[in-house]
C-alpha cells in the first residue's frame, strides 16, 4: 500500500476506514482508537527533520497476535503522510510480509509500486529522497524464506532485479535506501532473528487491551453490569485466558460465548475452567443455534476443511490463505462458508480471495481439533499423496525442538490435551456429527511419559505438563502420566497455576517430595501497597486464593506417600501459613522431612514450629531465613524437642540469635531429647555463655548428638577450651564442623589436645576458613600421628602453604587413620609436592585427597603422578588443578590409570566450588 501527501485526502481516509472495521466483529471504533491513542507518539521521533535524530530510525513494534501492532503501524503511516511539517514529497510504503511470500524476482522499485501502478513513473524520483520515506514492514514473523536468504547476496541498487527476500534483507540491513525510516511489526517468536538483521532498533511492545480496557469492553458488551462483571471475573481467574484477552478479538469471543450462556440461564463457571472448554463452547454454540438451517451432517466436511487449513497454517506459520493454498490442500471455498458466516473465518480486505481466522488462538484451537478427529481411509491416502506434508505428527508437535522453532505449536498442544476429555469429545461429535479419535489419550500419554533413564518431564517442563493435564480435566490421563513421579518442583506465580497444581497433585499417589516456591502478590493479606479504596478487591482476591491454596495443601493429609516438603523463597501470608500448618498437624499427614527457607512473613516460622510440636513422623527439620528476628523461635523449638512424641533426628537452624536464657532453655531441651542426632547451628550468634551451655550439654551423659555444626558462629580461642573438654568426655559425637571461625594457632592447639585423648571418638572434623597456618599444621600432624580416631579432615581455604610438610610426615606413619583430607585452596606450591608424593607412596589409609585450587605447577603435578604410578595404593579420588596439560602430563595420567585402575583423578579446571570430603550434614 502506497501513500503520498498529494493523494492523502481521498486514499488514506478510505483505507483507514477499512482497517478499522476489520479489527474484530462488533466494534464501533471506540476501542480501536483507544489502542492507537495510548500508543507512544512516535511520529516526532520518526521524522527526519527533528534535531534529536542523528541517524535514520528503525522501530520494531512487537507483541502477541491481535493486540494492534498493524493498527499502530498504519496509524504511524497516516501520521507520517499527514504531518503538517511534512513536505509534499514525503512518502510512505506499506509492505505486507504475507503478500511478499507470493512475489517473485523483481526490482525494489517494482516491489514498492506494485499496489500503486499509477506511481510507477514517480517512483525513481521518490526513492532518490530516502530521508523522506517511511517503510512499514508488517508481519515479519509471517515471512516464509529459506534460512539465510535475508542476508545472502545483499543488494543496494533499487533498479536491479533480485529475489524478494534479498530486497527485503537489503532494506532491513540498510544496504538499500539506508537513509529511510523503518517500522517493523512482529510477534515475539521472530524477535531473535530480527535482532540479527536490524541495527540499533527501538523496540516497542504493543500490549493491546490492558486490564481496564478488557473490563470496559465487557461492560459495553453486556447489557447488565452484574453479568459483565461476573463474566470478566471468570475470565480473570483463568490466567491463560486472561492473557489472551489482551487481543480485542478474544474479548469478543469470550463475551459472545458467556453472554449466550447467561441468556439461556446457564452457569458459565465451568466454561471458563479451562481455555479449551471456553473455545469449544464458543465454536459449538455458534452452530448449535443454527442447527435447523444447517444439519450437523452438513458440517462434517466444512469442519475438517477448516481444521486442515488451520493445522497447515500453524505448521507453516501462515495466517492468511489464498486460492493456491486452498487448491493445494483440496479445500473448496464453499466449505468455508459456515465459518465465514459465524465470524470464525474472515475475508481479507487487503488481499482479494484470501482468508484468515479471526485470531491466532482460534486457528490454534481448530488446528488442535484436526489432531483429534478420526481420520478416514481416503483421507490417509491423500496424506500419503502429499497434501499435508507440512503438518507434523503429535510427537513432533509436543517436542521441545518443534515448539522452539514454532512457538504457536505450544498452544495447539494445550488445546489437544483439552480435547482429550471425553465430555468435550462428545460435545464436538454431537455438534458437528464427526468422530473423535479414541486413541488420542494413549498418544498423549506416550508423548508425556518419562523415557527410562531420563528425568521426569524431560520432553516438557513441569509447569507445561501440569498445565496440559489440567487442561484435559481427564483424571485417568493425569493418574497415568503422574504415576512415575516421586519428586516435583513447583513455582507458583498466579492462582491459576495453583489450581492446575492442585488438580494434578491430587492424582499423583506415588509422590514423595514437593518443592514449593510461591511468588509475590498471590496472597495480598500482608501487602501494604494496596490503597484503602481497593480493600474489597483485595479481600475478594485473597478469598479466592486461600480457597485454592487450601485445596492444594490438602494433598499433604491425603497422600500417604508424601514425606518431604521443601518451601523456600516464598511470599506467604498469615492465613496461608495457618492453612498449610493445619494440614501438617493432621493425623494423616506423614511428612518426615521439612525445609522452610527464606519465607515471609517472618512470624511464619513460629506457626510452623507450633505445627511440629508432637509431630511423631517428623525426623528432619530445616529452618533458615528470618529466624534471627523471632524471639519465640528457640522457645518453640524447645517445646518440639521436649515433647514425648518427638522423633526429630536432624535439626538445622540457620542464623539464629537469642538471649543467654533462651540458649540455656535450648541446652536443657537437648538433654531431655533422646532422638536428635544431628544439630546444625550454622551462622548462629552465640554469646559466650551460650557456648558454655552447649558444651555443658555435650558433656551430659544423656546428650545423644552425633553430628554438630557450629560453622560461622564467631567462635574464638576461648570457646575451643570448652569444646576440647566436651570432646574428651563425650563419646557419641563423631562429626564436628567449626569452619569459618577464626580459631587461629592457639585454638587449633587446644582442640588437638582434646582430640588426642583416647576417650574422644570424633571421626570427622571440618576446619576450613579457620586461619590455620604452618604452625597450626604442627599440632594437627602430632594429633594424626597418635592413636586418634579422626578419619576425615577438611582444612580447605587455610594458608597452610609449607605446613604441608608436617601433614605429609603424619601421612607416612602407619598409625595414621586418615581416609579423607581436604586441602582445597591452601596456597600449596610445587615445593611441597615432593613430601606429599613420598607420603602417598607409603600411606596405607588415605582414600580421598582434594588439592583443588592450588597452583602446583607442572613439576609438582608430575612428581605426584610419578608417585601414584609406582604403587596401586588405597587412594580412590584425587582432585588437581592442572593449568596447562602437556604431553608429558597426559602420558603420566594414562600410566597412572593403567597402574591404578581404581583411582579417579579430577582435573576439571572449570570447577569453582569445592566438593568437601567432610560434607557430613547434607
Amino acid at each position: 500500500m502506497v501513500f503520498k501527501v498529494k493523494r492523502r485526502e481521498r486514499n488514506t481516509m478510505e483505507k483507514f476506514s477499512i482497517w478499522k472495521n476489520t479489527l474484530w466483529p462488533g466494534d464501533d471504533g471506540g476501542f480501536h482508537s483507544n489502542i492507537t491513542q495510548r500508543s507512544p507518539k512516535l511520529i516526532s521521533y520518526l521524522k527526519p527533520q527533528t534535531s534529536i535524530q542523528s541517524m535514520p530510525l528503525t522501530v520494531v513494534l512487537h507483541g502477541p497476535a491481535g493486540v494492534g501492532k498493524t493498527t499502530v503501524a498504519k496509524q504511524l503511516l497516516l501520521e507520517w503522510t499527514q504531518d503538517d511539517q511534512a513536505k509534499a514529497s514525503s512518502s510512505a510504503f506499506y509492505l505486507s510480509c504475507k503478500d511478499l511470500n507470493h512475489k517473485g524476482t523483481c526490482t525494489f522499485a517494482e516491489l514498492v509500486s506494485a499496489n500503486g501502478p499509477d506511481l510507477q513513473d514517480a517512483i525513481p524520483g521518490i526513492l532518490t529522497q530516502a530521508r523522506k520515506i517511511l517503510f512499514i514492514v508488517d508481519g515479519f514473523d509471517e515471512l516464509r524464506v529459506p534460512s539465510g536468504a535475508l542476508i545472502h547476496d545483499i543488494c543496494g541498487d533499487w533498479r536491479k532485479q533480485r529475489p524478494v527476500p534479498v530486497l527485503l534483507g537489503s532494506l532491513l540491513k540498510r544496504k538499500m535506501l539506508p537513509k529511510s525510516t523503518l517500522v517493523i511489526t512482529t510477534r515475539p517468536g521472530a524477535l531473535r532473528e530480527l535482532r540479527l538483521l536490524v541495527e540499533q532498533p527501538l523496540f516497542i511492545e504493543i500490549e493491546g487491551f490492558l486490564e481496564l480496557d478488557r473490563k470496559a469492553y465487557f461492560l459495553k458488551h453486556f447489557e447488565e453490569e452484574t453479568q459483565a462483571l461476573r463474566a470478566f471475573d471468570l475470565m480473570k481467574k483463568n490466567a491463560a485466558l486472561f492473557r489472551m484477552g489482551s487481543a480485542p478479538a478474544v474479548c469478543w469471543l469470550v463475551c459472545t460465548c458467556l453472554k449466550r450462556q447467561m441468556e439461556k440461564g446457564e452457569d458459565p463457571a465451568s466454561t471458563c475452567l479451562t481455555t479449551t472448554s471456553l473455545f469449544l463452547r464458543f465454536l459449538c454454540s455458534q452452530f448449535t443455534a443454527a442447527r435447523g438451517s444447517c444439519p450437523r451432517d452438513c458440517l462434517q466436511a466444512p469442519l475438517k476443511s477448516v481444521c486442515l487449513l488451520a493445522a497447515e497454517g500453524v505448521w507453516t506459520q501462515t495466517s492468511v490463505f489464498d486460492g493456491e493454498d486452498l487448491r493445494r490442500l483440496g479445500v473448496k471455498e464453499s466449505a468455508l462458508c459456515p465459518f465465514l458466516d459465524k465470524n470464525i473465518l474472515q475475508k481479507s480486505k487487503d488481499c482479494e480471495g484470501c482468508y484468515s481466522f479471526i485470531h491466532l488462538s482460534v486457528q490454534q484451537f481448530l488446528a488442535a481439533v484436526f489432531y483429534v478427529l478420526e481420520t478416514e481411509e481416503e483421507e490417509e491416502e491423500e496424506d500419503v499423496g502429499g497434501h499435508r506434508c507440512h503438518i507434523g505428527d503429535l510427537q513432533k508437535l509436543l517436542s521441545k525442538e518443534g515448539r522452539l522453532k514454532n512457538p504457536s505449536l505450544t498452544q495447539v498442544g494445550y488445546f489437544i490435551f483439552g480435547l482429550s476429555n471425553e465430555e468435550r469429545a462428545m460435545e464436538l461429535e454431537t455438534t458437528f456429527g464427526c468422530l473423535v479419535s479414541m486413541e488420542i489419550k494413549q498418544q498423549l500419554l506416550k508423548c508425556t511419559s518419562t523415557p527410562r533413564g531420563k528425568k521426569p518431564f524431560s520432553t516438557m517442563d513441569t509447569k507445561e505438563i501440569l498445565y496440559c493435564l489440567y487442561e484435559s480435566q481427564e483424571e485417568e490421563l493425569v493418574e497415568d502420566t503422574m504415576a512415575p513421579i516421586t519428586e516435583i518442583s513447583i513455582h507458583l506465580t498466579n492462582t491459576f497455576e495453583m489450581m492446575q497444581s492442585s488438580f494434578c497433585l491430587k492424582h499423583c499417589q506415588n509422590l514423595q517430595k514437593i518443592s514449593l516456591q510461591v511468588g509475590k502478590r498471590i496472597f495480598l493479606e500482608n501487602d501494604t501497597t494496596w490503597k484503602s479504596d481497593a480493600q474489597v478487591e483485595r479481600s475478594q482476591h485473597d478469598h479466592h486464593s486461600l480457597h485454592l491454596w487450601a485445596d492444594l495443601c490438602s494433598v499433604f493429609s491425603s497422600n500417604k506417600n508424601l514425606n518431604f516438603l521443601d518451601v523456600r523463597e516464598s511470599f506467604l501470608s498469615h492465613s496461608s501459613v495457618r492453612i498449610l500448618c493445619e494440614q501438617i498437624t493432621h493425623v494423616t499427614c506423614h511428612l518426615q522431612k521439612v525445609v522452610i527457607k527464606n519465607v515471609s512473613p517472618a512470624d511464619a516460622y513460629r506457626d510452623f514450629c507450633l505445627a511440629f510440636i508432637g509431630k511423631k513422623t517428623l525426623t528432619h527439620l530445616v529452618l533458615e531465613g528470618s529466624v534471627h528476628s523471632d524471639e519465640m523461635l528457640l522457645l518453640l523449638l524447645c517445646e518440639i524437642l521436649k515433647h514425648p512424641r518427638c522423633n526429630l533426628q536432624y535439626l538445622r537452624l540457620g542464623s539464629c540469635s537469642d538471649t543467654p536464657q533462651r540458649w540455656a532453655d535450648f541446652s536443657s531441651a537437648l538433654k531431655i531429647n533422646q532422638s536428635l542426632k544431628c544439630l546444625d547451628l550454622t551462622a548462629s550468634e552465640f554469646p559466650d555463655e551460650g557456648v558454655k551451655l552447649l558444651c555443658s550439654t555435650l558433656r551430659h551423659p544423656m546428650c545423644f548428638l552425633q553430628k554438630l555444626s557450629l560453622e560461622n558462629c564467631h567462635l574464638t580461642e576461648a570457646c575451643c577450651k570448652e569444646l576440647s573438654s566436651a570432646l574428651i568426655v563425650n563419646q557419641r559425637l563423631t562429626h564436628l564442623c567449626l569452619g569459618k571461625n577464626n580459631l587461629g594457632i592457639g585454638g587449633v592447639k587446644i582442640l588437638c589436645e582434646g582430640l588426642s585423648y583416647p576417650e574422644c571418638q570424633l571421626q570427622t572434623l571440618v576446619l576450613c576458613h579457620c586461619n590455620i597456618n604452618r604452625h597450626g599444621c604442627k599440632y594437627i600432624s602430632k594429633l594424626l600421628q597418635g592413636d586418634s580416631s579422626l578419619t576425615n579432615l577438611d582444612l580447605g581455604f587455610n594458608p597452610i602453604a609449607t605446613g604441608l610438610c608436617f601433614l605429609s610426615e603424619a601421612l607416612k606413619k602407619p598409625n595414621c587413620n586418615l581416609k579423607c583430607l581436604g586441602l582445597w585452596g591452601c596456597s600449596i606450591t610445587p615445593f611441597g609436592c615432593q613430601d606429599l608424593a613420598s607420603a602417598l607412596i607409603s600411606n596405607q589409609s588415605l582414600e580421598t585427597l582434594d588439592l583443588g585450587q592450588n597452583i602446583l605447577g607442572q613439576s609438582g603435578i608430575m612428581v605426584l603422578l610419578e608417585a601414584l604410578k609406582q604403587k596401586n595404593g588405597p587412594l580412590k579420588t584425587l582432585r588437581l588443578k592442572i593449568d596447562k596439560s602437556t604431553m608429558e602430563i597426559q602420558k603420566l595420567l594414562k600410566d597412572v590409570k593403567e597402574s591404578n585402575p581404581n583411582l579417579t583423578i579430577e582435573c576439571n579446571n572449570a570447577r569453582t566450588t569445592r566438593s568437601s570430603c567432610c560434607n557430613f550434614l547434607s
Side-chain angles (χ1 to χ4, degrees):
M1 202 68 60
V2 182
F3 288 91
K4 285 203 69 181
V5 172
K6 290 179 180 178
R7 306 180 60 209
R8 69 185 176 203
E9 291 289 329
R10 179 170 56 88
N11 283 355
T12 56
M13 295 306 294
E14 178 187 356
K15 293 297 182 182
F16 185 72
S17 175
I18 291 173
W19 295 328
K20 177 179 68 177
N21 291 334
T22 58
L23 187 59
W24 71 86
D27 177 45
D28 60 6
F31 286 92
H32 171 276
S33 61
N34 188 33
I35 292 175
T36 56
Q37 288 170 8
R38 192 175 56 240
S39 298
K41 274 289 182 183
L42 295 175
I43 196 66
S44 60
Y45 293 97
L46 293 176
K47 276 297 176 182
Q49 292 92 341
T50 57
S51 59
I52 62 171
Q53 184 176 328
S54 58
M55 60 179 294
L57 193 64
T58 300
V59 176
V60 177
L61 305 176
H62 63 97
V67 295
K69 299 183 297 294
T70 300
T71 303
V72 173
K74 291 178 177 178
Q75 181 68 21
L76 287 173
L77 185 145
L78 294 177
E79 291 178 357
W80 177 277
T81 56
Q82 293 176 341
D83 186 63
D84 293 335
Q85 297 179 356
K87 296 182 179 179
S89 58
S90 293
S91 304
F93 297 89
Y94 176 78
L95 300 174
S96 168
C97 290
K98 291 177 285 190
D99 297 341
L100 296 183
N101 290 326
H102 305 288
K103 294 187 181 296
T105 301
C106 62
T107 67
F108 189 78
E110 292 169 343
L111 181 68
V112 297
S113 63
N115 291 327
D118 53 331
L119 289 177
Q120 287 184 0
D121 295 338
I123 284 294
I126 293 172
L127 296 184
T128 57
Q129 302 181 61
R131 285 186 63 84
K132 298 175 183 177
I133 301 175
L134 169 67
F135 288 102
I136 302 287
V137 180
D138 190 29
F140 177 78
D141 53 286
E142 296 186 286
L143 193 65
R144 300 293 160 259
V145 295
S147 178
L150 295 174
I151 58 175
H152 179 70
D153 193 24
I154 296 299
C155 173
D157 189 344
W158 49 264
R159 291 161 295 198
K160 288 188 176 180
Q161 295 256 342
R162 289 289 186 275
V164 167
V166 172
L167 297 176
L168 184 60
S170 302
L171 178 67
L172 295 177
K173 291 189 72 66
R174 295 202 168 276
K175 299 300 181 184
M176 181 78 71
L177 304 176
K179 295 183 180 180
S180 62
T181 300
L182 302 178
V183 173
I184 308 161
T185 73
T186 184
R187 293 176 192 164
L191 276 177
R192 184 175 178 274
E193 183 181 358
L194 189 57
R195 288 178 189 273
L196 301 176
L197 287 170
V198 296
E199 297 179 5
Q200 298 182 336
L202 172 64
F203 287 95
I204 297 176
E205 182 179 3
I206 305 299
E207 296 178 304
F209 273 4
L210 302 180
E211 181 173 340
L212 288 176
D213 300 323
R214 279 168 258 189
K215 189 173 185 178
Y217 186 88
F218 273 66
L219 287 168
K220 184 175 181 180
H221 193 95
F222 287 81
E223 287 81 11
E224 295 184 23
E225 182 178 334
T226 53
Q227 288 187 342
L229 295 177
R230 164 81 168 141
F232 179 75
D233 185 57
L234 288 173
M235 183 176 80
K236 190 175 179 181
K237 287 178 179 178
N238 185 326
L241 188 59
F242 195 63
R243 280 194 299 271
M244 288 183 180
S246 64
V250 176
C251 277
W252 171 81
L253 184 152
V254 174
C255 287
T256 301
C257 179
L258 299 187
K259 184 178 181 182
R260 184 168 292 167
Q261 274 195 279
M262 290 179 179
E263 288 173 345
K264 292 181 179 179
E266 300 174 358
D267 184 2
S270 60
T271 300
C272 288
L273 195 62
T274 68
T275 307
T276 306
S277 57
L278 186 284
F279 275 73
L280 179 65
R281 179 57 59 90
F282 167 78
L283 179 67
C284 293
S285 65
Q286 294 291 90
F287 292 96
T288 303
R291 188 179 297 173
S293 58
C294 186
R296 67 174 191 170
D297 293 343
C298 299
L299 294 173
Q300 290 183 33
L303 178 66
K304 291 186 176 181
S305 294
V306 79
C307 289
L308 173 61
L309 202 64
E312 168 80 7
V314 167
W315 277 98
T316 59
Q317 301 184 55
T318 302
S319 61
V320 176
F321 307 90
D322 58 17
E324 178 58 34
D325 295 322
L326 300 183
R327 284 189 293 274
R328 179 171 51 81
L329 294 170
V331 174
K332 298 178 181 178
E333 287 195 54
S334 59
L336 305 181
C337 289
F339 294 89
L340 285 166
D341 294 340
K342 300 299 180 181
N343 284 321
I344 294 169
L345 272 175
Q346 57 188 7
K347 289 185 177 181
S348 174
K349 299 294 182 180
D350 296 331
C351 181
E352 189 174 350
C354 294
Y355 302 89
S356 63
F357 292 91
I358 183 178
H359 186 257
L360 175 63
S361 58
V362 175
Q363 181 177 344
Q364 292 166 331
F365 176 76
L366 290 168
V369 175
F370 170 83
Y371 281 89
V372 302
L373 291 179
E374 193 78 65
T375 305
E376 298 177 6
E377 289 185 10
E378 57 267 28
E379 291 174 317
E380 292 180 355
E381 291 175 3
E382 288 180 10
D383 190 20
V384 173
H387 290 299
R388 308 171 188 174
C389 60
H390 295 120
I391 302 176
D393 60 18
L394 189 60
Q395 185 82 38
K396 188 176 180 181
L397 185 146
L398 294 176
S399 69
K400 280 187 178 180
E401 296 78 8
R403 290 181 291 118
L404 282 172
K405 291 179 181 178
N406 186 349
S408 288
L409 296 178
T410 299
Q411 184 59 51
V412 177
Y414 296 157
F415 281 136
I416 292 174
F417 271 90
L419 290 169
S420 68
N421 181 282
E422 291 184 8
E423 290 184 10
R424 294 174 192 155
M426 189 176 297
E427 185 175 0
L428 194 62
E429 290 179 347
T430 303
T431 304
F432 293 95
C434 56
L435 293 177
V436 173
S437 172
M438 300 302 293
E439 299 177 2
I440 189 65
K441 276 193 284 189
Q442 288 303 316
Q443 293 177 27
L444 292 174
L445 183 61
K446 182 180 178 182
C447 291
T448 57
S449 61
T450 305
R452 184 173 295 178
K454 289 192 174 182
K455 291 182 178 180
F457 304 154
S458 55
T459 56
M460 302 173 77
D461 66 31
T462 302
K463 189 167 287 191
E464 281 188 312
I465 285 286
L466 296 181
Y467 183 13
C468 290
L469 294 177
Y470 173 81
E471 197 71 18
S472 76
Q473 292 292 301
E474 197 59 39
E475 294 184 4
E476 184 181 353
L477 177 63
V478 179
E479 289 175 359
D480 291 343
T481 303
M482 301 293 284
I485 307 303
T486 58
E487 295 184 15
I488 194 167
S489 180
I490 300 172
H491 181 194
L492 301 176
T493 59
N494 55 58
T495 54
F496 190 56
E497 291 175 356
M498 198 187 301
M499 192 186 300
Q500 297 165 9
S501 302
S502 175
F503 177 77
C504 295
L505 293 181
K506 286 179 180 179
H507 300 91
C508 189
Q509 293 304 311
N510 295 319
L511 189 65
Q512 298 175 20
K513 178 181 177 180
I514 294 180
S515 296
L516 195 59
Q517 184 179 350
V518 182
K520 290 182 177 180
R521 302 189 67 80
I522 291 182
F523 303 110
L524 303 177
E525 178 184 336
N526 303 110
D527 192 338
T528 58
T529 61
W530 279 72
K531 298 179 180 179
S532 57
D533 58 351
Q535 293 303 314
V536 174
E537 184 180 351
R538 185 178 77 170
S539 177
Q540 292 174 345
H541 173 92
D542 262 358
H543 178 76
H544 177 61
S545 298
L546 292 173
H547 174 74
L548 296 176
W549 177 251
D551 198 41
L552 173 63
C553 292
S554 66
V555 72
F556 295 108
S557 58
S558 61
N559 189 331
K560 63 181 180 181
N561 293 314
L562 192 57
N563 58 52
F564 197 153
L565 170 63
D566 186 337
V567 185
R568 61 180 70 202
E569 316 301 334
S570 292
F571 298 86
L572 304 177
S573 65
H574 297 302
S575 299
S576 60
V577 171
R578 283 194 290 271
I579 289 171
L580 176 54
C581 289
E582 285 174 9
Q583 294 298 322
I584 290 175
T585 57
H586 205 282
V587 68
T588 56
C589 174
H590 301 290
L591 284 177
Q592 298 173 15
K593 298 180 179 181
V594 177
V595 176
I596 311 294
K597 190 172 183 179
N598 296 328
V599 169
S600 64
D603 54 6
Y605 294 91
R606 188 183 305 180
D607 291 328
F608 282 118
C609 285
L610 283 169
F612 297 144
I613 296 175
K615 188 67 181 176
K616 188 177 181 179
T617 59
L618 189 67
T619 59
H620 290 64
L621 176 61
V622 176
L623 300 174
E624 289 186 28
S626 302
V627 296
H628 63 276
S629 60
D630 195 334
E631 297 178 356
M632 294 291 293
L633 195 62
L634 268 185
L635 187 62
L636 292 170
L637 283 171
C638 292
E639 294 302 314
I640 293 175
L641 294 171
K642 290 189 293 184
H643 199 282
R645 288 201 299 270
C646 178
N647 193 34
L648 199 62
Q649 298 172 25
Y650 177 103
L651 174 61
R652 178 180 174 89
L653 186 61
S655 304
C656 185
S657 60
D658 217 319
T659 64
Q661 182 57 50
R662 288 281 189 263
W663 284 114
D665 295 337
F666 185 70
S667 298
S668 298
L670 291 175
K671 296 174 185 177
I672 297 172
N673 182 280
Q674 297 186 20
S675 64
L676 195 66
K677 301 294 187 293
C678 181
L679 176 61
D680 185 351
L681 297 173
T682 296
S684 293
E685 295 183 20
F686 282 101
D688 291 341
E689 188 64 26
V691 176
K692 289 182 180 180
L693 290 167
L694 184 59
C695 291
S696 174
T697 301
L698 291 174
R699 289 192 290 266
H700 197 279
M702 296 305 293
C703 177
F704 291 88
L705 282 180
Q706 296 175 5
K707 300 179 180 182
L708 175 64
S709 175
L710 298 175
E711 182 177 323
N712 194 23
C713 287
H714 310 287
L715 303 183
T716 61
E717 183 177 325
C719 299
C720 292
K721 293 179 181 179
E722 296 289 340
L723 283 169
S724 183
S725 64
L727 291 173
I728 296 171
V729 177
N730 187 300
Q731 296 189 17
R732 293 192 178 97
L733 196 68
T734 58
H735 295 64
L736 177 62
C737 177
L738 299 175
K740 296 184 180 179
N741 289 292
N742 190 14
L743 304 181
I745 303 171
V748 170
K749 178 183 178 182
I750 295 170
L751 277 176
C752 289
E753 289 174 356
L755 290 168
S756 63
Y757 278 75
E759 292 83 4
C760 178
Q761 299 300 309
L762 200 70
Q763 299 172 14
T764 298
L765 178 62
V766 178
L767 295 175
C768 59
H769 284 288
C770 285
N771 195 24
I772 300 172
N773 59 17
R774 168 187 173 90
H775 300 292
C777 290
K778 290 182 181 179
Y779 303 111
I780 297 174
S781 177
K782 183 179 179 181
L783 170 67
L784 296 176
Q785 292 181 53
D787 293 325
S788 170
S789 59
L790 208 60
T791 56
N792 301 281
L793 177 63
D794 187 354
L795 296 173
F797 294 106
N798 283 297
I800 67 172
T802 56
L804 179 62
C805 64
F806 299 116
L807 298 177
S808 300
E809 192 64 31
L811 291 173
K812 295 177 184 178
K813 303 299 180 182
N815 54 348
C816 178
N817 298 314
L818 211 57
K819 292 184 177 180
C820 174
L821 177 59
L823 298 173
W824 172 278
C826 285
S827 305
I828 298 172
T829 64
F831 302 105
C833 292
Q834 186 62 60
D835 291 328
L836 183 58
S838 177
L840 291 176
I841 294 174
S842 58
N843 182 274
Q844 298 298 318
S845 62
L846 195 65
E847 297 178 356
T848 301
L849 176 60
D850 189 347
L851 296 172
Q853 290 302 304
N854 288 290
I855 304 175
L856 306 180
Q858 182 173 341
S859 60
I861 291 170
M862 291 185 66
V863 166
L864 292 174
L865 294 179
E866 285 287 357
L868 293 171
K869 187 176 72 169
Q870 296 178 28
K871 178 193 173 188
N872 186 359
L875 196 64
K876 296 178 181 178
T877 303
L878 172 65
R879 178 185 284 183
L880 295 170
K881 179 184 178 183
I882 301 179
D883 293 319
K884 186 178 181 181
S885 182
T886 63
M887 292 293 291
E888 296 170 289
I889 290 177
Q890 288 297 322
K891 184 178 184 304
L892 277 173
L893 285 170
K894 184 179 179 182
D895 293 342
V896 171
K897 185 65 179 176
E898 291 176 356
S899 62
N900 233 329
N902 296 323
L903 174 61
T904 299
I905 301 179
E906 298 179 10
C907 304
N908 188 357
N909 295 328
R911 190 191 296 269
T912 57
T913 57
R914 69 191 182 98
S915 178
S916 174
C917 56
C918 307
N919 194 14
F920 60 90
L921 288 172
S922 60

